[in-house]
Structure formats: C-alpha cells, structure tokens
C-alpha cells in the first residue's frame, strides 16, 4: 500500500452544511475499510481540509475522491499527492 495526501477546498458555505452528513458517512466507510488513515479541516479554514489515504495507487486515490459527496455534489476541488513518510506513525 502507498500513502496519498489529499488536500481539498470548496467555497459553497450553504452546500457545505447540506452535504456534511453524507461526507462524514463516506469518510467513516473509508475508515472502516482501512483506506482512510486520517482526515480533518484546517483550524483556520473549515472550507479546506486534508486526508491521508492508504491505497494501492494514485488511480485508486483519485477514484475515492471522485466519489466523495463534497466533490460529487459540492464541486470541491482537490489534489492527490503521493507521500512517502520517513518518520512517525505512518512509517
């Protein structure tokens, strides 16, 4: 498995509230499936966040993100970057 860091952002405050439950449910499903290792919003910008995925390749990370309700229904933008941790919990 490889790690991928995903950053995402959106600008639709009203849409955020409408799709939050579906987004959290999706994240919990990924956690249960061991695909998601960590996720959260930036403290000073709750319209942006970061996730760490543990998946086979970049294509799987992209597929996961395309199914996220914030991306599918809210139009959130995201960037997937492969990450190679050298120290800490993820090594």
């Amino acid at each position: 498995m490889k790690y991928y860091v995903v950053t995402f952002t959106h600008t639709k405050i009203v849409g955020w509230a409408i799709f939050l439950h579906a987004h959290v449910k999706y994240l919990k499903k990924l956690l249960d499936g061991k695909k998601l290792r960590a996720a959260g919003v930036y403290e000073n910008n709750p319209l942006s966040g970061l996730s760490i995925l543990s998946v086979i390749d970049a294509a799987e990370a992209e597929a996961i993100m395309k199914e996220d309700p914030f991306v599918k229904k809210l139009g959130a933008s995201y960037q997937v970057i492969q990450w190679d941790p050298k120290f800490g919990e993820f090594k």
Side-chain angles (χ1 to χ4, degrees):
M1 291 295 195
K2 297 176 183 174
Y3 290 111
Y4 291 85
V5 172
V6 180
T7 57
F8 73 91
T9 191
H10 63 88
T11 58
K12 299 175 183 170
I13 293 176
V14 173
W16 174 85
I18 293 169
F19 298 113
L20 179 60
H21 178 74
H23 172 68
V24 170
K25 185 176 177 182
Y26 185 68
L27 293 179
K28 287 181 179 180
K29 177 181 144 190
L30 294 173
L31 279 169
D32 290 344
K34 309 289 188 209
K35 301 284 184 184
L36 179 65
R37 296 293 304 270
V41 297
Y42 299 122
E43 187 172 323
N44 63 348
N45 183 0
L47 299 180
S48 295
L50 181 139
S51 298
I52 299 174
L53 300 176
S54 177
V55 295
I56 293 171
D57 56 22
E60 184 179 7
E62 288 281 345
I64 286 171
M65 290 309 299
K66 287 178 182 174
E67 291 301 312
D68 186 311
F70 273 6
V71 173
K72 266 179 104 164
K73 300 184 181 205
L74 191 61
S77 61
Y78 65 91
Q79 182 178 21
V80 175
I81 303 169
Q82 187 172 351
W83 181 49
D84 184 16
K86 300 296 185 189
F87 306 96
E89 298 289 322
F90 294 96
K91 186 60 189 157

